[in-house]
Amino acid sequence: MTTRLAVTVSHEATHTLVTLTGELDVISGERLRPALDKLLDEGHTRLVLDTTGLGFCDSMGLRLLLETHDRAVEAGGFLKLAGVGGAFRRILTVTGLYAAFSIYETLPDALAAVAD
């Protein structure tokens, strides 16, 4: 069984943009983890994750995002979630994790926060 998760990474002057499209679950999360770990290991600790195209996220996906957030913050950076809506917003709210992240409704809102 495979799930579809497309990941694109763009290094900008003030941050690294990671765009997630599809489903983040136990299977795709284990494929995403090495990419996020590599970014952090290389010193890219100012992360903006565009989740506009994320249709689903399970508990393992949430755990991966939380671990990545914690590593980025420990290294003096951040992880901002942009484009949070629909089912992803609901699961963050229901689990109480909405308050654990810096969350922005749109990518432009998150990028404006990075620029401040």
mmCIF file of all heavy atoms in Angstrom, residues 9-29:
data_model
loop_
_atom_site.group_PDB
_atom_site.id
_atom_site.type_symbol
_atom_site.label_atom_id
_atom_site.label_comp_id
_atom_site.label_asym_id
_atom_site.label_seq_id
_atom_site.Cartn_x
_atom_site.Cartn_y
_atom_site.Cartn_z
ATOM 1 N N VAL A 9 10.869 21.464 -2.231
ATOM 2 C CA VAL A 9 11.665 22.283 -1.324
ATOM 3 C C VAL A 9 12.264 23.434 -2.117
ATOM 4 O O VAL A 9 12.820 23.227 -3.196
ATOM 5 C CB VAL A 9 12.790 21.452 -0.666
ATOM 6 C CG1 VAL A 9 13.665 22.331 0.213
ATOM 7 C CG2 VAL A 9 12.199 20.293 0.133
ATOM 8 N N SER A 10 12.145 24.627 -1.549
ATOM 9 C CA SER A 10 12.699 25.816 -2.179
ATOM 10 C C SER A 10 13.451 26.616 -1.119
ATOM 11 O O SER A 10 12.870 26.992 -0.095
ATOM 12 C CB SER A 10 11.561 26.657 -2.776
ATOM 13 O OG SER A 10 12.047 27.887 -3.236
ATOM 14 N N HIS A 11 14.736 26.857 -1.367
ATOM 15 C CA HIS A 11 15.543 27.626 -0.426
ATOM 16 C C HIS A 11 15.465 29.099 -0.794
ATOM 17 O O HIS A 11 15.869 29.502 -1.880
ATOM 18 C CB HIS A 11 17.000 27.150 -0.446
ATOM 19 C CG HIS A 11 17.152 25.719 -0.031
ATOM 20 N ND1 HIS A 11 16.976 25.297 1.268
ATOM 21 C CD2 HIS A 11 17.430 24.610 -0.749
ATOM 22 C CE1 HIS A 11 17.158 23.993 1.332
ATOM 23 N NE2 HIS A 11 17.428 23.546 0.116
ATOM 24 N N GLU A 12 14.923 29.887 0.109
ATOM 25 C CA GLU A 12 14.782 31.325 -0.081
ATOM 26 C C GLU A 12 15.809 32.036 0.796
ATOM 27 O O GLU A 12 16.478 31.407 1.623
ATOM 28 C CB GLU A 12 13.355 31.771 0.275
ATOM 29 C CG GLU A 12 12.259 30.978 -0.441
ATOM 30 C CD GLU A 12 12.285 31.110 -1.946
ATOM 31 O OE1 GLU A 12 12.778 32.135 -2.452
ATOM 32 O OE2 GLU A 12 11.809 30.185 -2.632
ATOM 33 N N ALA A 13 15.926 33.340 0.672
ATOM 34 C CA ALA A 13 16.921 34.097 1.432
ATOM 35 C C ALA A 13 16.665 34.045 2.939
ATOM 36 O O ALA A 13 17.606 33.987 3.727
ATOM 37 C CB ALA A 13 16.945 35.546 0.963
ATOM 38 N N THR A 14 15.403 34.035 3.345
ATOM 39 C CA THR A 14 15.076 34.124 4.775
ATOM 40 C C THR A 14 14.525 32.842 5.365
ATOM 41 O O THR A 14 14.312 32.756 6.575
ATOM 42 C CB THR A 14 14.036 35.236 5.016
ATOM 43 O OG1 THR A 14 12.856 34.938 4.246
ATOM 44 C CG2 THR A 14 14.584 36.596 4.636
ATOM 45 N N HIS A 15 14.288 31.829 4.533
ATOM 46 C CA HIS A 15 13.644 30.613 5.020
ATOM 47 C C HIS A 15 13.739 29.519 3.952
ATOM 48 O O HIS A 15 14.156 29.782 2.828
ATOM 49 C CB HIS A 15 12.170 30.881 5.347
ATOM 50 C CG HIS A 15 11.375 31.265 4.139
ATOM 51 N ND1 HIS A 15 11.407 32.532 3.615
ATOM 52 C CD2 HIS A 15 10.578 30.541 3.318
ATOM 53 C CE1 HIS A 15 10.643 32.580 2.538
ATOM 54 N NE2 HIS A 15 10.135 31.385 2.325
ATOM 55 N N THR A 16 13.331 28.337 4.338
ATOM 56 C CA THR A 16 13.182 27.234 3.397
ATOM 57 C C THR A 16 11.707 26.890 3.323
ATOM 58 O O THR A 16 11.069 26.665 4.352
ATOM 59 C CB THR A 16 13.995 26.007 3.840
ATOM 60 O OG1 THR A 16 15.387 26.366 3.851
ATOM 61 C CG2 THR A 16 13.788 24.839 2.898
ATOM 62 N N LEU A 17 11.167 26.875 2.111
ATOM 63 C CA LEU A 17 9.761 26.562 1.890
ATOM 64 C C LEU A 17 9.630 25.095 1.500
ATOM 65 O O LEU A 17 10.268 24.644 0.551
ATOM 66 C CB LEU A 17 9.184 27.455 0.783
ATOM 67 C CG LEU A 17 7.740 27.176 0.376
ATOM 68 C CD1 LEU A 17 6.790 27.414 1.543
ATOM 69 C CD2 LEU A 17 7.370 28.041 -0.822
ATOM 70 N N VAL A 18 8.817 24.381 2.256
ATOM 71 C CA VAL A 18 8.530 22.978 1.967
ATOM 72 C C VAL A 18 7.038 22.890 1.660
ATOM 73 O O VAL A 18 6.213 23.212 2.515
ATOM 74 C CB VAL A 18 8.883 22.064 3.157
ATOM 75 C CG1 VAL A 18 8.576 20.609 2.838
ATOM 76 C CG2 VAL A 18 10.348 22.231 3.558
ATOM 77 N N THR A 19 6.713 22.473 0.446
ATOM 78 C CA THR A 19 5.317 22.367 0.036
ATOM 79 C C THR A 19 4.902 20.907 0.046
ATOM 80 O O THR A 19 5.561 20.068 -0.576
ATOM 81 C CB THR A 19 5.114 22.968 -1.369
ATOM 82 O OG1 THR A 19 5.567 24.327 -1.351
ATOM 83 C CG2 THR A 19 3.652 22.924 -1.779
ATOM 84 N N LEU A 20 3.829 20.623 0.793
ATOM 85 C CA LEU A 20 3.305 19.265 0.912
ATOM 86 C C LEU A 20 1.971 19.183 0.187
ATOM 87 O O LEU A 20 1.079 19.990 0.444
ATOM 88 C CB LEU A 20 3.100 18.895 2.387
ATOM 89 C CG LEU A 20 4.317 19.013 3.295
ATOM 90 C CD1 LEU A 20 3.929 18.676 4.732
ATOM 91 C CD2 LEU A 20 5.440 18.121 2.819
ATOM 92 N N THR A 21 1.837 18.209 -0.692
ATOM 93 C CA THR A 21 0.595 18.015 -1.424
ATOM 94 C C THR A 21 0.228 16.540 -1.373
ATOM 95 O O THR A 21 1.054 15.693 -1.708
ATOM 96 C CB THR A 21 0.751 18.448 -2.897
ATOM 97 O OG1 THR A 21 1.241 19.791 -2.932
ATOM 98 C CG2 THR A 21 -0.573 18.379 -3.627
ATOM 99 N N GLY A 22 -0.981 16.259 -0.912
ATOM 100 C CA GLY A 22 -1.443 14.873 -0.850
ATOM 101 C C GLY A 22 -1.772 14.464 0.563
ATOM 102 O O GLY A 22 -2.433 15.201 1.294
ATOM 103 N N GLU A 23 -1.294 13.280 0.949
ATOM 104 C CA GLU A 23 -1.621 12.700 2.248
ATOM 105 C C GLU A 23 -0.353 12.448 3.057
ATOM 106 O O GLU A 23 0.584 11.820 2.578
ATOM 107 C CB GLU A 23 -2.371 11.380 2.066
ATOM 108 C CG GLU A 23 -3.689 11.539 1.344
ATOM 109 C CD GLU A 23 -4.436 10.233 1.200
ATOM 110 O OE1 GLU A 23 -3.888 9.164 1.572
ATOM 111 O OE2 GLU A 23 -5.575 10.279 0.717
ATOM 112 N N LEU A 24 -0.369 12.936 4.294
ATOM 113 C CA LEU A 24 0.743 12.706 5.220
ATOM 114 C C LEU A 24 0.276 11.687 6.246
ATOM 115 O O LEU A 24 -0.552 11.980 7.101
ATOM 116 C CB LEU A 24 1.156 14.023 5.891
ATOM 117 C CG LEU A 24 2.279 13.948 6.926
ATOM 118 C CD1 LEU A 24 3.513 13.279 6.352
ATOM 119 C CD2 LEU A 24 2.591 15.331 7.449
ATOM 120 N N ASP A 25 0.795 10.482 6.124
ATOM 121 C CA ASP A 25 0.392 9.403 7.025
ATOM 122 C C ASP A 25 1.612 8.572 7.400
ATOM 123 O O ASP A 25 2.745 8.961 7.123
ATOM 124 C CB ASP A 25 -0.711 8.552 6.394
ATOM 125 C CG ASP A 25 -0.304 7.903 5.081
ATOM 126 O OD1 ASP A 25 0.908 7.777 4.816
ATOM 127 O OD2 ASP A 25 -1.193 7.515 4.313
ATOM 128 N N VAL A 26 1.379 7.456 8.036
ATOM 129 C CA VAL A 26 2.472 6.634 8.538
ATOM 130 C C VAL A 26 3.422 6.215 7.416
ATOM 131 O O VAL A 26 4.632 6.153 7.613
ATOM 132 C CB VAL A 26 1.936 5.410 9.320
ATOM 133 C CG1 VAL A 26 1.171 4.458 8.425
ATOM 134 C CG2 VAL A 26 3.055 4.698 10.058
ATOM 135 N N ILE A 27 2.905 5.961 6.237
ATOM 136 C CA ILE A 27 3.754 5.518 5.130
ATOM 137 C C ILE A 27 4.505 6.684 4.512
ATOM 138 O O ILE A 27 5.733 6.668 4.405
ATOM 139 C CB ILE A 27 2.908 4.781 4.064
ATOM 140 C CG1 ILE A 27 2.311 3.507 4.676
ATOM 141 C CG2 ILE A 27 3.752 4.448 2.841
ATOM 142 C CD1 ILE A 27 1.231 2.863 3.838
ATOM 143 N N SER A 28 3.776 7.723 4.116
ATOM 144 C CA SER A 28 4.439 8.861 3.477
ATOM 145 C C SER A 28 5.300 9.630 4.464
ATOM 146 O O SER A 28 6.313 10.219 4.089
ATOM 147 C CB SER A 28 3.420 9.789 2.817
ATOM 148 O OG SER A 28 2.520 10.324 3.774
ATOM 149 N N GLY A 29 4.914 9.617 5.738
ATOM 150 C CA GLY A 29 5.707 10.299 6.761
ATOM 151 C C GLY A 29 7.099 9.712 6.890
ATOM 152 O O GLY A 29 8.078 10.438 7.084
#
